[in-house]
Amino acid sequence: MTTSYEHQLEIVQRLPPSSSDNDRHIEWCINSGPVGLARTPKGGIEIFLEGPQLAPRLRRVRDAVEYQRWYRSGGGQLLASRILLPSAGHFEQVAAFLCTELLRNRADVDLGRAFAETEPLIELAISDLLIADETFVGLCGELLVLHAMALASPVERLVDVLDSWKGYRDTARDLQVGLVGIEVKTTTSVSSSHLFRGVHQIELGHGVDGAVEEAFLLASLGLEWTDPDDEENTTSLPELLDGLISRVVGLRGASADAVVAELLERSRSYGASTDVGYDHRTMAGNARFRRRFRLAFARGYDMSDPSIRLLTTDDMRARPFIDLDSLRLRVNLPDQVSGDLNPVVGLSHCVKWVQDRCGWLDVND
């Protein structure tokens, strides 16, 4: 029996990819457990910790560890916590290092204690894999809107709708659909209270890449996290992307590859200026990203409504000593601005509002 780093690295490097999402070939680091290694069908590296459910103290580790029930080929149960790492080359060394530390801390004698002692190192190893909470929530919100737009679009406009998504980079609008700009703000609170970085995010006329903008909708979304088993009217980040991919493949067939590749690259780039983005190809199985949520509310505010009285570019010109790039402001929007006209309520009604004004999308009643 050896617990050396070199031995664990050898195990990692010889791991074959699993044949399906439901099958795993686990190589145990010593004897028959409790620390094992496997690969997903897409090459991701999994560390299995067999035994009772662990209780991570650190939030990032809690987000990354998933407790599951597996079934052995002989029919018996395997209860284990699982940590998923990407398939990128250096994560082979990371997985080997973490297994070595777990074994050095005597995981074979007391897994809970060994895990607790190794947990700070696990957090360091995975910290760059997990985009910040606000970035994650923002990506979920923007993909909810993009998904709804794609489902409501005619076949000939699907690629244009997907290309309208600009929020993966630093722009004034998250979607630019023809002459209509859409800024998506997502929260897990019960009110439409959002932070903005500058006047351009709340004022009509700041189209992406100089595009003319004749209408501007602020889509305020409220998300509610749910239990893993609660699937009624819920979704997840991987499901939203899978739905978009299925829509593209179903409508475009063999010509879908380039469109899908661009969509996946944009989702990976989201928030990458400050965090490592979500790579659907390697991170879809991560417990944190599979967290389920439902849309608690969707309010679409017509920002050209004079009843919405916010700061404007003219206001700032009258105050030349203020650095516009440094301006951050919180806007607390009411549930009603102008009767039942503003905001429009419900994601499908927000989509129809855009379709009515963009000039090139068909309206689907």
Side-chain angles (χ1 to χ4, degrees):
M1 180 180 75
T2 176
T3 60
S4 69
Y5 166 79
E6 289 76 14
H7 180 65
Q8 311 313 316
L9 181 59
E10 181 183 341
I11 292 175
V12 175
Q13 291 179 334
R14 69 171 183 246
L15 289 171
S18 300
S19 58
S20 73
D21 288 334
N22 296 320
D23 295 320
R24 290 294 184 276
H25 174 75
I26 300 176
E27 291 254 2
W28 297 106
C29 295
I30 54 172
N31 300 326
S32 59
V35 181
L37 289 156
R39 280 195 189 271
T40 69
K42 295 182 179 179
I45 305 168
E46 298 170 302
I47 300 175
F48 283 89
L49 304 174
E50 181 184 9
Q53 185 169 4
L54 299 168
R57 303 185 312 276
L58 304 175
R59 181 183 58 81
R60 283 182 177 269
V61 180
R62 283 198 302 271
D63 288 341
V65 175
E66 183 176 17
Y67 191 65
Q68 291 180 308
R69 176 182 286 105
W70 300 80
Y71 291 94
R72 302 179 190 271
S73 57
Q77 290 189 42
L78 170 66
L79 297 173
S81 298
R82 184 188 72 140
I83 302 171
L84 176 63
L85 300 174
S87 58
H90 66 279
F91 280 103
E92 293 183 346
Q93 286 78 12
V94 170
F97 169 69
L98 292 179
C99 290
T100 302
E101 287 300 301
L102 285 162
L103 296 173
R104 188 181 66 81
N105 289 322
R106 300 303 307 276
D108 57 322
V109 176
D110 189 336
L111 177 60
R113 182 183 61 79
F115 179 82
E117 293 183 8
T118 312
E119 188 176 356
L121 295 176
I122 297 174
E123 183 186 46
L124 285 173
I126 65 174
S127 59
D128 285 342
L129 301 178
L130 303 177
I131 61 178
D133 286 345
E134 61 272 18
T135 306
F136 177 35
V137 170
L139 178 57
C140 290
E142 290 183 30
L143 287 180
L144 268 174
V145 174
L146 187 65
H147 186 266
M149 291 286 297
L151 289 181
S153 301
V155 175
E156 65 273 14
R157 293 299 189 184
L158 178 60
V159 174
D160 295 319
V161 168
L162 295 178
D163 190 54
S164 74
W165 183 32
K166 311 297 183 183
Y168 66 94
R169 57 189 177 96
D170 188 15
T171 59
R173 301 290 180 261
D174 293 319
L175 290 92
Q176 188 74 50
V177 189
L179 303 178
V180 181
I182 307 172
E183 179 67 13
V184 182
K185 288 296 182 182
T186 313
T187 181
T188 54
S189 73
V190 297
S191 62
S192 294
S193 177
H194 304 291
L195 284 171
F196 294 85
R197 47 177 181 77
V199 172
H200 62 284
Q201 283 199 312
I202 56 175
E203 180 183 51
L204 177 68
H206 297 271
V208 179
D209 297 331
V212 175
E213 183 178 78
E214 294 184 354
F216 174 27
L217 185 77
L218 172 62
S220 173
L221 306 184
L223 302 188
E224 174 189 338
W225 299 115
T226 66
D227 295 331
D229 296 331
D230 185 358
E231 297 189 359
E232 184 176 358
N233 296 321
T234 68
T235 188
S236 66
L237 177 58
E239 281 188 10
L240 286 172
L241 270 169
D242 283 340
L244 284 166
I245 293 169
S246 296
R247 175 78 169 162
V248 174
V249 172
L251 294 180
R252 294 182 62 89
S255 65
D257 289 352
V259 179
V260 170
E262 178 63 21
L263 175 64
L264 294 179
E265 180 58 26
R266 289 184 177 191
S267 65
R268 189 192 66 81
S269 299
Y270 188 93
S273 60
T274 55
D275 308 287
V276 173
Y278 169 72
D279 190 337
H280 187 63
R281 291 157 289 203
T282 61
M283 297 179 180
N286 186 289
R288 182 187 188 223
F289 295 125
R290 285 176 26 216
R291 191 176 181 187
R292 302 196 70 78
F293 59 87
R294 65 168 49 91
L295 184 62
F297 67 81
R299 304 182 185 110
Y301 293 87
D302 179 354
M303 299 303 284
S304 65
D305 188 340
S307 298
I308 299 180
R309 303 184 62 183
L310 301 175
L311 289 175
T312 67
T313 300
D314 288 340
D315 293 330
M316 304 317 298
R317 288 195 184 110
R319 294 162 177 81
F321 298 153
I322 296 177
D323 181 357
L324 289 181
D325 291 336
S326 70
L327 187 63
R328 300 291 184 272
L329 62 157
R330 177 171 290 279
V331 176
N332 300 317
L333 292 163
D335 292 352
Q336 283 189 319
V337 176
S338 301
D340 59 355
L341 299 178
N342 195 18
V344 294
V345 178
L347 189 53
S348 63
H349 291 106
C350 290
V351 169
K352 185 174 181 180
W353 188 96
V354 173
Q355 291 175 323
D356 284 341
R357 289 161 178 79
C358 71
W360 51 262
L361 282 179
D362 292 345
V363 175
N364 295 332
D365 294 326

